[in-house]
Amino acid sequence: MRKLCVVLLAAIILSLSGCGFKDIDKRFLVVAIGVDKGEHKKYNVTLKLIIPTVVVSPGQSNFQLISYEADSISEAIELMRSDVDKYLDMGHAKITVIGESLAQENISKNIDWFVRRRGIQRIEYVALGQPTAKEILSLTQKSERLAGNSLILSFGHEGTESSFITTEYLYDFYERILERGKDPFMPIIKVRGDTYEINRVALFDKEKVKLILEPNETRIFKHLLTKKPGFELQVEEENMQYSLSVQQLNYRYKIVTPEEERPYLQLDMKLKGIAEESEDIQFRENWSQIEEAAERTMKRSILQLLTKLKEHQLDPLGFGLRYIATRHEGHQDWINWTKIYPKLEFRVNVKVTLEGTGEIK
């Protein structure tokens, strides 16, 4: 009986297949993916591959860039496998860049592959590359210790923390495409000399780019989206010019739909900060005048942005989602919102509290 068990166990072990594991030295780690519109075929796909080195130092990041044109992203990657001698491991990809020309088409068809593809992380960053994604991936900054690390640090807030850089994830972008009342967006990456310029954002209407915000509009949009402080508000009036460093920010809003009056959105914001870089000494001045000037500046910037979004019928801040979530008529709520939004009035109230002028008496 014991011999029979040993024979059966040996037969089972011999019939088991291997796990197909490949050592790290037999893999190419893909850190970034770029998708552009092809010249001869539908797509031009670019992969940025890490080349491991013994010495890791700034400006010495080694990488290999491979590109292929095909009528589908899957086909392009399959063709790339014949150009390399190692297994393409896409589980380490941290960012996907979509070319500007491709973003003018139906973006949902292009993003769908990344969501369905096994091995692609849904928490990777997505961005729009100007003019092409390949040009963005081709750049390596002098400060980079690892290939593609400068972009990852920029969007991950582990390195720089800029009020102009808006981070977007693959899962959130895809959900915004499907979700009513919440439109998708992407930060824009542009090459300027030997570095990246990331200070604008592209807004989509579920399919393609419909509006690109300027840097100052992008800054206001980011802080309305995230409610995070840590930015400089430039206050410029006839007799007063200074910079307010915002340390605390919070706001609430509600959508009011009176029966016989125009619907409106009431937004109440509170800011706390320190006055910096003033042309005149403000220590003995009336702080209320300084606060009121900042309130007018912030209110004007918010109203201009919200009005611009409404004129282009875009809703990346999710006002429509809030509306249908707080009503109880089912599908009719969305139909009502499409009629309300074009005539919605914005009422903004900003309260600024100055905690100091940054001066020593």
Side-chain angles (χ1 to χ4, degrees), residues 266-270 295 299 302 347-351:
Q266 179 66 49
L267 189 148
D268 298 312
M269 176 178 287
K270 293 182 179 181
E295 290 170 358
K299 178 179 178 179
I302 294 173
R347 301 179 184 180
V348 178
N349 180 36
V350 180
K351 177 62 178 176

Side-chain angles (χ1 to χ4, degrees), residues 80-114:
M80 290 181 193
R81 290 196 175 102
S82 63
D83 291 350
V84 295
D85 59 340
K86 298 180 179 65
Y87 175 75
L88 293 177
D89 188 342
M90 307 185 70
H92 291 266
K94 296 294 182 66
I95 183 169
T96 292
V97 182
I98 305 296
E100 183 179 20
S101 59
L102 190 64
Q104 301 296 336
E105 301 179 353
N106 192 335
I107 193 69
S108 61
K109 295 181 180 178
N110 305 322
I111 291 294
D112 186 70
W113 179 86
F114 291 92

Side-chain angles (χ1 to χ4, degrees), residues 252-284:
R252 295 180 179 180
Y253 72 88
K254 61 180 178 179
I255 301 170
V256 184
T257 54
E259 292 185 2
E260 299 181 357
E261 298 180 13
R262 183 179 178 183
Y264 65 91
L265 185 147
Q266 179 66 49
L267 189 148
D268 298 312
M269 176 178 287
K270 293 182 179 181
L271 300 176
K272 288 185 180 181
I274 300 173
E276 295 181 350
E277 200 175 351
S278 174
E279 292 188 352
D280 301 317
I281 297 176
Q282 305 287 346
F283 192 86
R284 295 182 179 88

Side-chain angles (χ1 to χ4, degrees), residues 43-241:
Y43 297 106
N44 184 1
V45 182
T46 304
L47 300 181
K48 192 168 189 175
L49 316 175
I50 286 182
I51 299 178
T53 57
V54 177
V55 179
V56 179
S57 58
Q60 299 298 320
S61 62
N62 292 327
F63 67 91
Q64 180 177 343
L65 214 64
I66 54 175
S67 298
Y68 233 107
E69 285 196 7
D71 290 325
S72 69
I73 300 175
S74 298
E75 182 185 2
I77 292 178
E78 189 65 29
L79 290 168
M80 290 181 193
R81 290 196 175 102
S82 63
D83 291 350
V84 295
D85 59 340
K86 298 180 179 65
Y87 175 75
L88 293 177
D89 188 342
M90 307 185 70
H92 291 266
K94 296 294 182 66
I95 183 169
T96 292
V97 182
I98 305 296
E100 183 179 20
S101 59
L102 190 64
Q104 301 296 336
E105 301 179 353
N106 192 335
I107 193 69
S108 61
K109 295 181 180 178
N110 305 322
I111 291 294
D112 186 70
W113 179 86
F114 291 92
V115 177
R116 294 174 180 271
R117 172 75 182 188
R118 65 187 184 279
I120 298 291
Q121 300 183 68
R122 298 187 70 177
I123 59 171
E124 70 175 16
Y125 309 121
V126 290
L128 188 147
Q130 283 188 341
T132 65
K134 185 175 182 179
E135 183 175 339
I136 300 299
L137 299 188
S138 299
L139 176 66
T140 177
Q141 291 187 323
K142 293 181 180 180
S143 61
E144 276 191 345
R145 298 169 62 89
L146 299 172
N149 205 36
S150 58
L151 286 177
I152 297 170
L153 290 176
S154 296
F155 290 115
H157 305 293
E158 296 175 1
T160 181
E161 293 184 12
S162 171
S163 60
F164 294 98
I165 298 178
T166 305
T167 301
E168 177 62 326
Y169 298 95
L170 175 62
Y171 74 87
D172 185 66
F173 186 84
Y174 188 69
E175 288 174 0
R176 285 172 174 268
I177 292 176
L178 304 177
E179 185 71 77
R180 286 178 175 175
K182 200 174 183 181
D183 292 331
F185 66 90
M186 276 188 188
I188 297 176
I189 309 172
K190 186 178 181 180
V191 174
R192 189 184 74 240
D194 58 353
T195 187
Y196 296 113
E197 180 182 272
I198 312 173
N199 58 12
R200 293 179 298 160
V201 68
L203 306 180
F204 294 75
D205 62 349
K206 305 294 187 185
E207 292 185 357
K208 58 185 179 181
V209 175
K210 195 171 182 181
L211 177 65
I212 293 178
L213 299 181
E214 296 300 321
N216 288 331
E217 296 171 334
T218 299
R219 178 165 54 181
I220 298 298
F221 168 74
K222 174 183 177 178
H223 296 291
L224 287 176
L225 183 71
T226 62
K227 294 186 179 181
K228 289 183 178 180
F231 66 98
E232 305 293 326
L233 178 63
Q234 303 299 321
V235 180
E236 296 183 2
E237 295 196 351
E238 293 183 0
N239 300 322
M240 189 179 302
Q241 290 186 359

